[in-house]
C-alpha cells in the first residue's frame, strides 16, 4: 500500500511538472510571410502576463527570426507585455516601444511604421501621458493618411484609438470621422464593434445630440448582448444614464446605473464600477441623498487610489466630497482642498484634460514638427531656418518649465505662445511654396501641392479648435492670424489658373471634350470636376475650395438637375477617360 501511494504521488508530480513545463514552453506563432494577414494573426495571440520571463519565452521565436519586420513585432509586443505586467509606465516598455518604431522605420514598411507608432500611442494614452502622446499621435496620423487602409495592420483598432484620443481633445468631428472608419474595418461579432458604437454615441452626446447618442447606445447594448459582452452592455447602460441625467430623468438614470454597477461587480471590472459609482453619487447628490452619495463616492475612491492613471477620477471624487461637505466641516474641507491642489498639479503634467488645457500641448506639436521637418528641408536658407527651429524648441522647453513652476505667471506667456504658433505655420507655408516654385511645374507637382494644402488646412483647423477652447482664444479673436493663414491655403484664382493650366496639359482630350460636349459648365463646376477627376473626395474638395462638404454635394445636385440625363454621361466620362 505504501509503495502504491508513493507511486501515485510520483506520477502526480510528474504530470504537474509536465503541465508546468508545457505552459511555459508555449510560444507565439511566427508570421509565415511578411503579409498583413500573417502579422495580424500573430498580433491577435494572447500574451501571458504572469511574469516577465514568461513574456520573453512566449515571444522568443519572434526574437530569433531573421526577418527585420518580425523583429518590429517582437519589440512592440515585448513592450506591451511589460506594460501589462507592471500596469504602469515603465522604462522597459518605453525602451522597447522606441526600438520597435526605430526598426519599423529602418524596414521602410509604411504599414509597420504606422502599427509600431500606434502601438506606442495606445500605451501613452492608456497611462494618460498626453504630453508625450500628442507628437507621436500627429506623426502616426500623418503616416496613416499616406497609405491605403486596406494595407494597414489592424486598421479598425488603429482608427478606433485615433477616434478615442480625438474625443479626449474635444475634436468630436474628427473623432467621428475616425470612429466611422474604424466601424467599417471591425467585425460585427467582436467586442471592439460595440466599443466603437459606444464611442460614436459619446461623440454625439458631447455635441449635444442626445437623440443620436441614445440610438448608438442602444446599438451598443444590442451588439454587446449578441456576443455576451456583459461589461460593454454595462457601459452602454451607464451612458444611457448620462442621457437620462441630462434630460432630468434622475430616477431612470439611477435604475440604469444600478444595473451597470451590478454587472461591473459581477464581472470584476473595477474601472467601470468606479465611473458608474461617481456618476451615481453625482445624481444622488442632485436628489439631496447625501448618505447614499457618500457611500458610492467611498466605493469609487477605494478603486481610484489603486492606480495612478485613475487620478482624474479621484479629482472628481474630491470635488463631489467638497460639495457634500459644503462648509459643514472646515477642517476636513481644508484637507480635501490640499489633496485637490496636489492632484491638479500632478494632472497638470500627466493627465490629458489638464495637460491639454494647462501645459499647452500645441507647443509639443510644434516641437515635434520642427524636429521632423528640420531633417527634411534642403533649401538655400536651411541653416538659418534650423537656427529658428532650435530657438523655438528651446523656448518651448523653457515655456513648459515656467508653466509648471510659475503657473500664476502663465497669462504673461500666452501671447508668446500664440505668436510662436503663427510663426511656425507661416514658415511652413513659405517653405513649401518655395519648394513648389523651385520644382518642375507639372500636374503631379500641382497635385502634391494640393494634398499639402489639405494637410495644412486640417492641422490649422485642429489648431483653431484647440485655441478656441484655451486661454489664448481672445488673441485669435482679436488678431485672427491663424484664421488668416487658414484662408490663405484655400484655392485662389492664381492657384486655380496654375492648376488648370497643368491639368489641361495632362488631360488634353478630356479638356477638349468638356469644352465641346458640355459648354454649359461654369468655372465653379470645372473646379469640382477636375479635382474629382484627380480622385479628390468631397471633403478634400470642400477643404481646398473653402466651402462645406454639403455645398459640394449641392453643387453636384444643381448640376444634375440642370443637365438631366446628360449628367450621368458627364460623370461616366470623368471616370472613364
Amino acid at each position: 500500500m505504501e509503495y502504491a501511494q508513493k507511486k501515485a504521488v510520483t506520477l502526480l508530480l510528474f504530470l504537474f511538472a509536465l503541465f508546468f513545463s508545457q505552459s511555459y514552453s508555449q510560444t507565439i506563432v511566427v508570421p509565415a510571410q511578411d503579409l498583413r494577414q500573417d502579422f495580424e494573426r500573430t498580433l491577435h495571440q494572447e500574451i501571458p502576463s504572469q511574469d516577465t520571463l514568461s513574456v520573453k519565452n512566449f515571444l522568443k521565436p519572434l526574437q530569433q527570426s531573421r526577418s527585420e519586420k518580425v523583429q518590429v513585432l517582437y519589440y512592440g509586443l515585448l513592450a506591451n507585455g511589460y506594460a501589462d505586467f507592471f500596469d504602469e509606465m515603465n522604462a522597459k516598455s518605453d525602451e522597447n516601444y522606441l526600438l520597435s518604431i526605430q526598426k519599423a522605420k529602418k524596414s521602410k514598411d509604411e504599414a509597420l511604421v504606422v502599427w509600431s507608432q500606434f502601438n506606442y500611442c495606445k500605451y501613452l494614452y492608456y497611462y494618460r501621458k498626453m504630453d508625450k502622446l500628442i507628437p507621436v499621435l500627429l506623426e502616426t496620423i500623418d503616416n496613416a493618411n499616406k497609405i491605403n487602409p486596406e494595407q494597414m495592420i489592424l486598421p479598425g483598432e488603429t482608427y478606433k484609438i485615433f477616434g478615442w484620443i480625438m474625443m479626449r481633445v474635444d475634436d468630436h468631428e474628427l473623432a467621428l470621422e475616425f470612429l466611422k472608419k474604424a466601424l467599417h474595418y471591425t467585425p460585427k461579432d467582436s467586442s471592439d464593434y460595440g466599443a466603437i458604437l459606444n464611442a460614436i454615441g459619446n461623440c454625439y452626446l458631447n455635441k449635444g445630440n442626445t437623440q443620436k447618442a441614445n440610438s448608438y447606445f442602444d446599438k451598443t447594448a444590442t451588439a454587446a448582448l449578441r456576443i455576451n459582452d456583459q461589461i460593454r452592455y454595462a457601459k452602454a447602460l451607464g451612458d444611457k444614464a448620462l442621457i437620462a441625467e441630462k434630460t432630468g430623468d434622475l430616477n431612470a438614470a439611477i435604475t440604469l446605473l444600478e444595473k451597470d454597477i451590478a454587472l461591473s461587480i459581477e464581472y470584476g471590472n473595477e474601472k467601470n464600477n468606479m465611473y458608474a459609482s461617481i456618476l451615481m453619487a453625482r445624481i444622488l447628490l442632485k436628489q439631496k441623498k447625501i448618505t447614499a452619495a457618500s457611500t458610492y463616492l467611498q466605493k469609487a475612491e477605494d478603486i481610484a487610489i489603486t492606480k495612478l492613471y485613475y487620478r482624474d477620477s479621484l479629482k472628481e471624487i474630491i470635488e463631489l466630497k467638497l460639495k457634500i461637505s459644503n462648509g459643514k466641516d472646515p477642517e476636513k474641507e481644508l484637507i480635501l482642498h490640499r489633496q485637490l491642489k496636489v492632484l491638479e498639479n500632478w494632472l497638470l503634467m500627466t493627465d490629458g484634460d489638464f495637460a491639454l488645457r494647462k501645459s499647452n500641448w500645441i507647443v509639443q506639436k510644434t516641437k515635434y514638427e520642427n524636429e521632423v521637418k528640420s531633417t527634411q528641408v534642403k533649401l538655400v536658407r536651411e541653416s538659418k531656418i534650423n537656427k529658428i527651429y532650435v530657438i523655438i524648441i528651446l523656448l518651448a522647453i523653457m515655456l513648459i518649465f515656467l508653466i509648471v513652476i510659475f503657473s500664476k505667471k502663465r497669462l504673461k506667456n500666452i501671447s508668446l505662445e500664440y505668436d510662436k504658433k503663427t510663426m511656425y505655420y507661416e514658415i511652413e507655408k513659405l517653405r513649401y511654396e518655395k519648394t513648389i516654385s523651385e520644382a518642375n511645374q507639372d500636374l503631379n507637382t500641382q497635385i502634391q501641392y494640393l494634398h499639402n494644402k489639405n494637410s495644412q488646412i486640417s492641422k490649422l483647423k485642429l489648431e483653431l479648435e484647440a485655441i478656441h477652447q484655451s486661454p489664448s482664444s481672445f488673441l485669435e479673436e482679436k488678431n485672427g492670424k491663424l484664421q488668416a493663414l487658414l484662408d490663405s491655403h484655400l484655392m485662389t484664382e492664381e492657384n486655380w489658373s496654375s492648376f488648370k493650366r497643368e491639368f489641361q496639359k495632362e488631360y488634353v482630350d478630356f479638356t477638349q471634350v468638356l469644352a465641346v460636349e458640355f459648354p454649359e459648365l461654369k468655372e465653379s463646376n470645372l473646379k469640382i470636376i477636375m479635382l474629382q477627376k484627380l480622385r479628390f473626395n468631397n471633403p478634400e474638395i470642400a477643404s481646398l475650395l473653402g466651402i462645406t462638404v454639403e455645398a459640394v454635394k449641392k453643387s453636384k445636385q444643381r448640376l444634375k438637375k440642370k443637365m438631366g440625363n446628360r449628367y450621368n454621361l458627364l460623370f461616366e466620362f470623368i471616370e472613364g477617360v
Side-chain angles (χ1 to χ4, degrees), residues 160-417:
K160 177 188 75 175
I161 296 299
F162 288 170
W164 282 356
I165 298 172
M166 287 302 107
M167 283 174 63
R168 193 158 183 81
V169 299
D170 291 332
D171 191 332
H172 301 295
E173 289 298 333
L174 193 54
L176 280 170
E177 182 181 329
F178 282 131
L179 290 168
K180 288 179 180 179
K181 280 186 180 180
L183 208 59
H184 178 73
Y185 292 102
T186 303
K188 290 186 177 181
D189 60 351
S190 68
S191 59
D192 272 349
Y193 193 81
I196 295 165
L197 287 171
N198 185 257
I200 293 174
N202 274 291
C203 278
Y204 283 118
L205 182 60
N206 290 324
K207 285 162 62 69
N209 191 336
T210 54
Q211 186 176 357
K212 261 196 169 180
N214 196 52
S215 171
Y216 272 96
F217 293 149
D218 285 338
K219 291 178 183 178
T220 303
T222 302
L225 290 174
R226 187 170 59 242
I227 62 171
N228 197 29
D229 186 346
Q230 295 295 325
I231 294 301
R232 178 56 55 195
Y233 177 64
K235 290 178 180 179
L237 296 179
D239 286 326
K240 287 177 71 67
L242 279 172
I243 294 177
E245 182 195 16
K246 282 182 178 292
T247 56
D249 193 350
L250 300 185
N251 290 328
I254 289 172
T255 301
L256 288 164
L257 286 170
E258 285 173 344
K259 294 179 183 177
D260 180 2
I261 292 168
L263 286 170
S264 299
I265 293 171
E266 181 180 353
Y267 290 93
N269 192 302
E270 289 190 336
K271 186 177 182 181
N272 199 57
N273 184 9
M274 175 183 69
Y275 290 151
S277 295
I278 293 172
L279 179 55
M280 178 72 90
R282 192 171 76 205
I283 292 171
L284 289 169
L285 193 55
K286 287 182 179 180
Q287 293 186 326
K288 309 297 182 185
K289 297 178 180 178
I290 306 302
T291 303
S294 299
T295 301
Y296 277 103
L297 276 182
Q298 189 57 53
K299 290 177 181 178
E301 185 176 7
D302 291 341
I303 299 171
I305 60 176
T306 63
K307 308 287 184 187
L308 284 176
Y309 48 88
Y310 289 165
R311 292 198 177 182
D312 53 343
S313 297
L314 186 57
K315 173 182 174 291
E316 188 176 357
I317 291 167
I318 293 174
E319 288 171 342
L320 286 172
K321 280 189 169 184
L322 284 168
K323 280 187 178 180
I324 290 173
S325 181
N326 194 25
K328 298 173 185 175
D329 189 342
E331 187 175 345
K332 181 180 177 181
E333 287 182 25
L334 180 61
I335 294 171
L336 289 173
H337 278 297
R338 286 174 179 169
Q339 290 175 346
L340 191 61
K341 184 65 177 176
V342 171
L343 276 173
E344 286 177 345
N345 289 336
W346 190 86
L347 291 169
L348 180 70
M349 293 302 295
T350 57
D351 187 72
D353 294 334
F354 276 87
L356 293 173
R357 291 199 300 267
K358 302 291 185 180
S359 299
N360 198 344
W361 67 271
I362 301 302
V363 175
Q364 295 297 325
K365 173 185 172 184
T366 305
K367 176 183 175 182
Y368 145 71
E369 291 181 335
N370 288 342
E371 289 172 340
V372 172
K373 298 299 181 183
S374 66
T375 63
Q376 299 174 339
V377 175
K378 301 293 181 184
L379 302 173
V380 176
R381 300 173 61 191
E382 183 177 10
S383 60
K384 185 174 181 180
I385 293 175
N386 284 342
K387 289 178 183 178
I388 294 172
Y389 285 165
V390 170
I391 292 171
I392 291 174
I393 292 168
L394 291 174
L395 287 174
I397 294 170
M398 291 173 62
L399 182 59
I400 293 170
F401 178 77
L402 289 172
I403 288 171
V404 176
I405 305 302
F406 306 105
S407 58
K408 291 183 180 180
K409 298 181 180 179
R410 189 170 188 277
L411 287 176
K412 295 180 182 179
N413 298 322
I414 289 177
S415 180
L416 176 62
E417 294 170 20

Side-chain angles (χ1 to χ4, degrees), residues 5-195:
Q5 288 178 338
K6 286 183 178 179
K7 188 174 180 180
V9 169
T10 303
L11 179 61
L12 286 172
L13 289 173
F14 171 77
L15 291 173
F16 177 79
L18 181 64
F19 171 80
F20 186 82
S21 63
Q22 285 180 340
S23 67
Y24 266 76
S25 63
Q26 185 185 5
T27 56
I28 197 167
V29 177
V30 179
Q33 299 182 59
D34 291 344
L35 299 175
R36 168 194 160 180
Q37 294 84 349
D38 290 337
F39 286 150
E40 288 185 347
R41 275 194 289 271
T42 297
L43 294 171
H44 282 139
Q45 295 175 78
E46 186 175 350
I47 301 173
S49 59
Q50 59 262 39
D51 57 66
T52 56
L53 180 60
S54 63
V55 172
K56 285 185 174 180
N57 287 339
F58 183 78
L59 299 175
K60 197 170 185 179
L62 299 181
Q63 184 186 26
Q64 294 172 339
S65 172
R66 294 182 180 180
S67 169
E68 289 186 359
K69 295 181 180 181
V70 171
Q71 292 286 313
V72 174
L73 301 185
Y74 169 72
Y75 286 109
L77 292 175
L78 183 61
N80 291 347
Y82 280 121
D84 288 342
F85 176 73
F86 291 111
D87 197 20
E88 63 181 16
M89 294 283 292
N90 65 91
K92 284 286 187 182
S93 287
D94 291 336
E95 177 186 352
N96 285 290
Y97 281 122
L98 295 177
L99 270 172
S100 178
I101 294 170
Q102 179 185 338
K103 289 187 175 291
K105 289 181 177 179
K106 188 177 178 181
S107 76
K108 297 183 180 178
D109 185 320
E110 293 176 338
L112 267 180
V113 171
V114 171
W115 176 81
S116 64
Q117 292 175 323
F118 146 76
N119 194 41
Y120 187 35
C121 285
K122 283 198 302 182
Y123 166 76
L124 295 173
Y125 173 70
Y126 189 80
Y127 294 109
R128 300 296 189 263
K129 288 293 182 181
M130 300 300 283
D131 54 336
K132 289 185 178 180
L133 167 63
I134 295 303
V136 183
L137 174 70
L138 292 171
E139 183 180 0
T140 309
I141 291 175
D142 190 45
N143 289 334
N145 287 337
K146 294 175 184 175
I147 62 176
N148 187 329
E150 299 292 341
Q151 298 172 337
M152 288 171 62
I153 300 169
L154 305 175
E157 187 178 356
T158 303
Y159 287 129
K160 177 188 75 175
I161 296 299
F162 288 170
W164 282 356
I165 298 172
M166 287 302 107
M167 283 174 63
R168 193 158 183 81
V169 299
D170 291 332
D171 191 332
H172 301 295
E173 289 298 333
L174 193 54
L176 280 170
E177 182 181 329
F178 282 131
L179 290 168
K180 288 179 180 179
K181 280 186 180 180
L183 208 59
H184 178 73
Y185 292 102
T186 303
K188 290 186 177 181
D189 60 351
S190 68
S191 59
D192 272 349
Y193 193 81

Side-chain angles (χ1 to χ4, degrees), residues 521-536:
L521 293 175
K522 297 179 180 179
E523 199 73 5
S524 60
N525 300 138
L526 289 175
K527 289 180 182 180
I528 293 175
I529 288 169
M530 289 182 179
L531 288 170
Q532 184 167 336
K533 176 67 177 172
L534 296 176
R535 299 293 185 264
F536 284 89

Side-chain angles (χ1 to χ4, degrees), residues 491-525:
M491 185 175 279
T492 62
E493 287 305 316
E494 183 181 350
N495 296 148
W496 166 245
S497 298
S498 176
F499 165 73
K500 184 179 178 183
R501 182 176 62 252
E502 297 304 324
F503 182 93
Q504 289 170 339
K505 287 181 186 177
E506 184 72 20
Y507 293 96
V508 177
D509 293 343
F510 180 80
T511 306
Q512 288 176 349
V513 173
L514 279 182
V516 173
E517 298 295 334
F518 307 100
E520 67 269 36
L521 293 175
K522 297 179 180 179
E523 199 73 5
S524 60
N525 300 138

Side-chain angles (χ1 to χ4, degrees), residues 171 456-466 486 543:
D171 191 332
Q456 291 297 314
I457 288 168
S458 296
K459 290 176 182 177
L460 280 165
K461 284 180 178 177
L462 280 172
E463 193 72 77
L464 279 166
E465 183 67 25
L486 176 60
S543 181

